[in-house]
Amino acid sequence: MLQKKLLALVGGAMALALLSAQPALAQVAPNDPRGDDVSDRASGNIRGDRVLPGRMSDGARERRDRRRDRDQEQTPEAAAAATPEENKAAAQAVLTAAGVNCVVSEASLLGVTAEQHSTYEAVCTEGPGYLAVSSTPPQTFNCLELAGQAETTRLRDPEADVGQQCTLPVNLDPAPVLTSYARAAGIADCTVDRGSAIGKSTAGNTIFEIGCADRDGFWLEQVGDSWQATPCWDLALMQEACRYSTEAEIKGAWGRVLAGTAAAACDVQEARRVGRDAQSLTVYEVKCGAGDGYFARVGNTFTAQRVHTCVEAANIAGGCTLTAAAPATSEQ
């Protein structure tokens, strides 16, 4: 599961002539990693202070666009000389020089700055595409992260300038890339229908959110060589809002969590995260629409390994607080 606090992705004006730094990420105060108590849960809500691009007046926007068009102007001779294969080779050279692991399958020349720095959009055979600038040192911009920045910015201001974005059709569809990330995290029962980069952890890892068809989604984070996932039903207990999962999908997820246990028939009305047990299972309390509530011990597959009624859980972490337990019988 995700163990780092999420930092908001920040959108920014990024005219191609002014590509001079990697897109910035605003930091908010980090919390401790997930511990035994829910209050230690890493937070990922898109909130807090963020540096967003200011609203431009019409005149300022026109001046910016003229400057961009002038700096990005491509001569007819250059356009005629650049073949698709040459663009592909040139983009590959920039990405390789920048240390980006990408085998370019397609590339387009977006323009040449006044300093004669060429800007390319590249499609990679695996993983996200990139914008690549042949400056010294070379600059690269991940298409998924740029799209995530743009989405976050537009949530705050639908008319905000979000700068240069990737436009090649393959780079506009995040589902194939995010599906490969989900599979690497062990999620096999999700048909990814939406997704984007939504922030970074305190360790600097990009956090992606995926939406799944007809069920709740996940947050994904690559930690070292492995991928970790946190389901949106768990995030909801920490007051973290998933963009691509509805309230009904999150509530319905408990049926999968409790399937095959004595609590399988529980119509979960409310839930809370209690903590971790000695076997590193995460303990939750659920309140059912009728009958007793339960304590459920959930493993890394997000399914309950064991459940206890509130009577049985009376001496576990203070017992049930969402459901009043019936008095124990002498037999119990």
Side-chain angles (χ1 to χ4, degrees):
M1 295 185 181
L2 298 181
Q3 298 181 351
K4 307 296 182 183
K5 182 169 181 66
L6 186 69
L7 308 179
L9 278 170
V10 176
M14 193 185 66
L16 285 173
L18 302 177
L19 286 173
S20 59
Q22 197 74 4
L25 290 156
Q27 295 190 353
V28 295
N31 289 341
D32 292 333
R34 169 180 281 184
D36 290 337
D37 188 80
V38 65
S39 63
D40 294 329
R41 175 65 172 85
S43 171
N45 200 25
I46 303 301
R47 60 191 179 201
D49 295 333
R50 286 175 287 176
V51 182
L52 297 176
R55 295 281 296 273
M56 290 187 177
S57 66
D58 291 341
R61 194 181 298 276
E62 290 174 2
R63 289 192 295 274
R64 182 209 63 191
D65 291 344
R66 287 198 300 269
R67 182 169 61 250
R68 179 191 60 198
D69 293 342
R70 178 199 66 206
D71 291 341
Q72 286 295 121
E73 183 177 1
Q74 182 180 345
T75 65
E77 292 80 4
T83 67
E85 285 303 314
E86 288 171 337
N87 288 338
K88 179 179 171 181
Q92 182 70 73
V94 175
L95 291 167
T96 300
V100 176
N101 184 18
C102 168
V103 177
V104 178
S105 61
E106 178 185 353
S108 63
L109 175 63
L110 302 182
V112 180
T113 69
E115 293 78 17
Q116 298 303 302
H117 297 155
S118 299
T119 302
Y120 301 91
E121 180 181 349
V123 174
C124 303
T125 56
E126 294 183 3
Y130 288 86
L131 296 183
V133 185
S134 64
S135 54
T136 303
Q139 302 168 74
T140 61
F141 303 87
N142 182 306
C143 290
L144 272 179
E145 292 191 13
L146 289 176
Q149 291 175 340
E151 182 176 355
T152 299
T153 300
R154 288 181 179 129
L155 288 174
R156 291 287 297 270
D157 180 0
E159 298 182 18
D161 173 32
V162 295
Q164 178 68 38
Q165 296 291 310
C166 299
T167 60
L168 292 175
V170 174
N171 289 337
L172 292 178
D173 181 10
V177 174
L178 294 178
T179 296
S180 69
Y181 295 168
R183 299 298 181 265
I187 302 168
D189 57 348
C190 169
T191 301
V192 178
D193 56 7
R194 296 188 67 186
S196 68
I198 60 170
K200 292 210 174 195
S201 70
T202 53
N205 304 319
T206 301
I207 306 297
F208 300 92
E209 181 183 334
I210 59 172
C212 304
D214 302 321
R215 59 158 296 174
D216 69 319
F218 296 84
W219 282 5
L220 306 174
E221 177 189 0
Q222 187 176 23
V223 180
D225 295 330
S226 63
W227 283 87
Q228 297 180 357
T230 300
C232 286
W233 62 261
D234 190 26
L235 292 164
L237 299 181
M238 263 52 72
Q239 307 301 312
E240 310 293 359
C242 284
R243 296 179 183 179
Y244 311 127
S245 297
T246 66
E247 183 178 347
E249 288 173 337
I250 290 173
K251 182 179 178 181
W254 285 104
R256 291 188 299 274
V257 177
L258 300 174
T261 71
C266 176
D267 177 17
V268 177
Q269 301 298 305
E270 193 176 351
R272 70 181 179 97
R273 186 173 183 274
V274 178
R276 293 285 187 95
D277 66 10
Q279 289 75 46
S280 295
L281 299 175
T282 306
V283 182
Y284 300 88
E285 180 191 352
V286 296
K287 177 182 179 180
C288 306
D292 287 339
Y294 294 89
F295 267 22
R297 300 176 186 266
V298 178
N300 291 333
T301 59
F302 312 121
T303 56
Q305 306 299 306
R306 298 192 300 277
V307 298
H308 313 276
T309 66
C310 285
V311 171
E312 296 167 338
N315 295 319
I316 302 175
C320 291
T321 62
L322 302 178
T323 303
T329 66
S330 58
E331 185 176 309
Q332 288 173 324

